[in-house]
Amino acid sequence: MSRIDAKFAAVKAEGRAALVTFVTAGDPNHDTSLSLIKALPGAGADLIEIGMPFTDPMADGPAIQLSSQRALKGGQTLAKTLAMVAAFREANSDTPVILMGYYNPIYIYGVPRFLADAKAAGVDGLIVVDLPPEEDAELCLPALEAGIAFIRLATPTTNDKRLPAVLAHTSGFVYYVSINGITGSATPDFAEVGVAVDRIKAHTHLPVVVGFGVKSRAHAAEVAKVADGVVVGSALVDAVRRSLAADGRAGTGTVESVVGLVKELAAGVRDGQRVRA
Amino acid sequence: MTNEPNSYRTGPDEHGHFGLFGGRFVAETLMPNLLELEAAYAAAKADPAFAREMASYHTHYVGRPSPLYFAERLTEHVRDLAAAKGGSGGARIYLKREELNHTGSHKVNNVLGQILLARRMGKTRIIAETGAGQHGVATATLCARFGLECVVYMGAVDVERQKPNVFRMEMLGAKVVPVQSGSRTLKDAMNDALRDWVTNVDNTFYCIGTVAGPHPYPGMVRDFQVIIGNEVRSQIMDAEGRLPDSLVACVGGGSNAIGLFHPFLDDRGIEIFGVEAAGHGLLTEAHAASINGGRPGVLHGNRTYLLMDDDGQIIEAHSISAGLDYPGIGPEHSWLHDVGRVNYIGATDAEALAAFQLLSKLEGIIPALESAHAIAKAVELAAERPRDHIMVVNLSGRGDKDVSQVAEMLGSHLS
């Protein structure tokens, strides 16, 4: 059983939804970022998404755009991101790590080399925003062959006709983007989210996690009532930004403040459990 | 590469590929929209009423056909250059006068097609990205004509250097959004336009300004621009009784160039030159020459030649001309480069600036700084070719928008 499958099974056994946390690799700098990633499981993150920074994050809102810029300014590269995952794996063998980003840095690194290095580093899954099913031959199919899950985004525009194509080569879990829009924007209508999750579940046995617009313990609890997992990203990288000194340097409180928010969100997914039970 | 296809004019394939290039590298949210657009465009293309409607606006609103003009004094000039080097050559240079179109450039050809298509699709809100502002002005113009809401994304840096076009767009009723993200130029304007589209998929039509972006845009925009080359084919027959020997056009994204080139791609004896913006020089880091200084990668929905670093991060382009200041190029150009059908060369900022003044003084035509790149290389190439050689240069836009920028630069040179 893969690390992703095992984690969802374990969380389900606890009768609750999983907390999926996103931070950008190298934000605000390499060392702080690595400390933060290492601290996430202890704070209650069940799965970790690590953003591979890119100069042109077209599907992301201002929070993640700025986070990517901070990381790139600090000298973050794809090779360093893979090394961070390997460093994380030295002390953690059960928390799934999903790399999330855009295709160009992977394409330039070289797909076969990237998949080999990612597998060796302990990467469990990939989310590549600008690779829809129409481009599956690029990375999705080679990743599945290499034993790395390829997690697809489904959106409110993904209708029943298109859903089977989107789910065809999806593995690990399905990431439902709760709004039409960019990351970190509006908060979704939670009732509609529940309907959408049920619609997707009618087509797949994979866990369905929900992201975009989840900012607080209360939001996490709402989503946890209707989904198998809750993704939080922009709120966390925004906490990174707020922790920085006026000159943009990492303060001493960056890890603590993000960890504090993760603990609240972890409490949120457990609040959701009580309602669901 | 030298593997010659049977025809250079069949692309893209059904997946939107021109060889290795093109494709649909977009977020899932946009895929249903792209498929809807592809189907709507295929239906419009097959509908004679769509072609008739477009032709009517070309004649009565845009002012087509644009003239094909024999540049007599520019031709004399290149003959003098050839003679100064001891030669007896100097090609006959014709200018395709796209700068005489309504709104002042070739951009209107594409916008007209897309806006008529948006109307057929029932879309009420139009968004666009713009660099120099020519595409933004053309979009704002047609939105005014058809009473559509118009939002134009423009890099904050470009808003500063192309103020007259910002005023024009606002006068036409468009909302201009200065883009503060990233490098605050054309590529970031395109990012923000894509972000808008993802957010407003239901009622919004994204009117892309060049032959780039995800399928079906590169092929569709080309189809709306090939009227340039189609007109040249019949105009040069009237003027000279035969086809030209060479074609020259500037290339940023490459829509004016593909519009001129495409109808001639299978006339294999015709030499074709695309002129990229070489900025401070191809050996410096400050240029916008994606083919001459970049490599294949994926950005803005397609695979194409891009300027990037070793980590795959996109590098800011540089050009004197905001319209060429983009780190990529249309995927069909990337393919035409790889198969060796089109020669992509570079003109520097300084060469474009000199050509800007040269054409103004010799022909009484102030070219856009973008088009001045083509003029610069056309003069060089024409001087090396015989007197019976016929060269057609695309004068893609007029330079009114650039006059104050050029005056400032020349002033600082003199002082």
Side-chain angles (χ1 to χ4, degrees):
Chain A
M1 191 185 259
S2 76
R3 252 191 298 257
I4 295 174
D5 295 345
K7 181 60 77 174
F8 275 103
V11 168
K12 192 176 180 184
E14 289 179 32
R16 64 174 176 91
L19 176 63
V20 185
T21 57
F22 171 97
V23 291
T24 301
D27 174 28
N29 57 50
H30 178 275
D31 294 350
T32 308
S33 177
L34 184 56
S35 303
L36 175 56
I37 289 165
K38 285 179 172 174
L40 288 171
D46 297 303
L47 292 88
I48 297 179
E49 286 180 9
I50 300 179
M52 301 173 279
F54 182 48
T55 39
D56 294 80
M58 286 155 289
D60 285 299
I64 292 177
Q65 288 175 38
L66 291 171
S67 146
S68 304
Q69 284 177 17
R70 288 192 297 269
L72 291 172
K73 205 174 163 194
Q76 190 68 18
T77 62
L78 187 49
K80 287 182 186 175
T81 300
L82 291 168
M84 275 184 170
V85 177
F88 172 81
R89 274 281 168 258
E90 285 172 11
N92 183 307
S93 58
D94 71 326
T95 303
V97 170
I98 291 109
L99 292 182
M100 182 165 183
Y102 295 80
Y103 185 42
N104 197 53
I106 296 170
Y107 179 67
I108 296 307
Y109 194 92
V111 167
R113 180 178 159 226
F114 170 76
L115 291 173
D117 291 357
K119 188 74 187 167
V123 170
D124 302 287
L126 301 173
I127 301 176
V128 183
V129 178
D130 51 355
L131 287 178
E134 281 72 7
E135 303 293 349
D136 268 355
E138 295 284 334
L139 180 64
C140 171
L141 300 180
L144 296 179
E145 208 159 293
I148 296 179
F150 199 83
I151 293 136
R152 191 88 67 192
L153 306 182
T155 74
T157 64
T158 312
N159 54 30
D160 283 334
K161 192 173 148 216
R162 185 163 169 79
L163 204 45
V166 169
L167 296 172
H169 296 118
T170 300
S171 58
F173 57 92
V174 180
Y175 185 147
Y176 179 66
V177 174
S178 57
I179 50 162
N180 286 332
I182 51 180
T183 53
S185 43
T187 299
D189 178 329
F190 294 111
E192 283 180 23
V193 169
V195 173
V197 169
D198 289 345
R199 183 167 69 86
I200 295 168
K201 281 186 160 292
H203 290 267
T204 180
H205 296 298
L206 292 171
V208 177
V209 309
V210 173
F212 282 41
V214 180
K215 296 181 173 72
S216 63
R217 175 173 178 167
H219 289 165
E222 287 295 322
V223 174
K225 287 179 203 168
V226 297
D228 300 309
V230 182
V231 190
V232 185
S234 295
L236 297 181
V237 300
D238 214 38
V240 170
R241 181 184 60 78
R242 286 197 309 270
S243 75
L244 302 179
D247 62 358
R249 286 177 184 275
T252 49
T254 297
V255 173
E256 290 93 289
S257 77
V258 177
V259 160
L261 180 51
V262 172
K263 285 179 178 166
E264 279 183 46
L265 295 161
V269 299
R270 287 161 177 84
D271 295 342
Q273 169 192 19
R274 281 197 293 274
V275 181
R276 193 160 61 167
Chain B
M1 268 188 259
T2 53
N3 49 326
E4 268 194 38
N6 291 328
S7 169
Y8 291 99
R9 303 181 64 213
T10 56
D13 68 17
E14 71 270 30
H15 304 295
H17 293 138
F18 302 89
L20 174 68
F21 304 101
R24 281 181 283 216
F25 296 88
V26 296
E28 170 60 26
T29 313
L30 295 179
M31 272 312 304
N33 264 38
L34 289 178
L35 296 171
E36 179 196 13
L37 175 63
E38 188 182 353
Y41 176 55
K45 203 174 171 179
D47 181 357
F50 184 71
R52 275 197 304 274
E53 188 183 19
M54 198 145 62
S56 169
Y57 284 106
H58 275 148
T59 306
H60 302 291
Y61 192 71
V62 177
R64 301 203 71 92
S66 68
L68 182 68
Y69 164 75
F70 175 57
E72 190 178 355
R73 293 194 68 210
L74 191 64
T75 298
E76 283 170 19
H77 174 74
V78 300
R79 288 178 178 176
D80 291 345
L81 286 181
K85 287 186 181 169
S88 60
R92 293 168 67 75
I93 300 178
Y94 282 83
L95 302 177
K96 178 60 172 166
R97 303 285 306 274
E98 288 297 299
E99 100 283 8
L100 291 176
N101 294 335
H102 182 38
T103 74
S105 81
H106 70 290
K107 293 291 187 186
V108 70
N109 304 329
N110 164 45
V111 173
L112 173 64
Q114 288 199 52
I115 295 298
L116 293 180
L117 185 59
R119 278 163 53 83
R120 280 173 73 103
M121 294 173 72
K123 303 286 182 182
T124 55
R125 179 173 178 270
I126 308 295
I127 58 171
E129 83 295 336
T130 198
Q134 293 302 94
H135 174 61
V137 166
T139 306
T141 297
L142 281 151
C143 286
R145 170 62 186 78
F146 291 107
L148 298 166
E149 181 187 352
C150 180
V151 178
V152 179
Y153 289 90
M154 187 169 186
V157 170
D158 295 334
V159 166
E160 276 308 305
R161 61 178 167 177
Q162 300 285 341
K163 277 224 168 95
N165 272 344
V166 176
F167 294 137
R168 288 169 78 193
M169 287 184 271
E170 287 173 347
M171 186 66 66
L172 291 159
K175 183 182 167 201
V176 179
V177 181
V179 173
Q180 301 289 353
S181 63
S183 60
R184 297 179 294 148
T185 58
L186 179 54
K187 88 174 166 76
D188 309 286
M190 197 150 181
N191 289 336
D192 268 18
L194 285 163
R195 290 179 184 124
D196 179 312
W197 202 25
V198 169
T199 309
N200 301 292
V201 275
D202 292 335
N203 67 342
T204 297
F205 186 100
Y206 180 15
C207 183
I208 292 184
T210 191
V211 284
H215 179 62
Y217 284 99
M220 177 176 76
V221 174
R222 175 202 66 205
D223 291 349
F224 292 142
Q225 291 292 0
V226 293
I227 191 167
I228 301 171
N230 286 337
E231 286 177 4
V232 168
R233 274 188 95 89
S234 69
Q235 288 168 323
I236 199 73
M237 291 306 287
D238 290 345
E240 294 276 355
R242 68 179 182 87
L243 293 180
D245 299 296
S246 62
L247 308 171
V248 184
C250 67
V251 186
S255 68
N256 91 82
I258 208 80
L260 174 64
F261 299 167
H262 197 264
F264 296 98
L265 289 175
D266 286 338
D267 298 285
R268 298 184 190 207
I270 298 180
E271 293 179 284
I272 306 182
F273 298 93
V275 184
E276 295 192 302
H280 295 165
L282 292 174
L283 299 177
T284 72
E285 287 188 352
H287 62 74
S290 316
I291 283 183
N292 283 290
R295 55 178 159 157
V298 173
L299 180 71
H300 291 155
N302 65 123
R303 176 163 25 225
T304 193
Y305 277 83
L306 298 169
L307 301 180
M308 65 178 103
D309 68 15
D310 290 340
D311 191 42
Q313 305 297 340
I314 306 304
I315 294 175
E316 283 177 41
H318 163 82
S319 171
I320 189 176
S321 117
L324 302 180
D325 202 347
Y326 178 71
I329 185 169
E332 191 166 13
H333 286 291
S334 291
W335 177 74
L336 289 168
H337 166 71
D338 268 15
V339 298
R341 178 66 188 94
V342 176
N343 303 296
Y344 293 89
I345 55 181
T348 64
D349 287 353
E351 289 170 331
L353 196 55
F356 182 93
Q357 299 166 79
L358 182 73
L359 194 71
S360 300
K361 286 184 177 137
L362 288 181
E363 297 287 352
I365 299 171
I366 301 177
L369 276 172
E370 290 79 11
S371 321
H373 287 74
I375 301 293
K377 289 296 125 172
V379 167
E380 270 181 38
L381 293 165
E384 295 161 0
R385 279 159 180 74
R387 289 187 173 222
D388 61 356
H389 181 106
I390 301 169
M391 175 180 285
V392 175
V393 185
N394 203 6
L395 193 59
S396 55
R398 65 176 176 238
D400 309 38
K401 69 186 175 59
D402 299 313
V403 167
S404 61
Q405 185 194 349
V406 169
E408 210 170 285
M409 296 175 111
L410 296 178
S412 66
H413 273 297
L414 293 173
S415 62

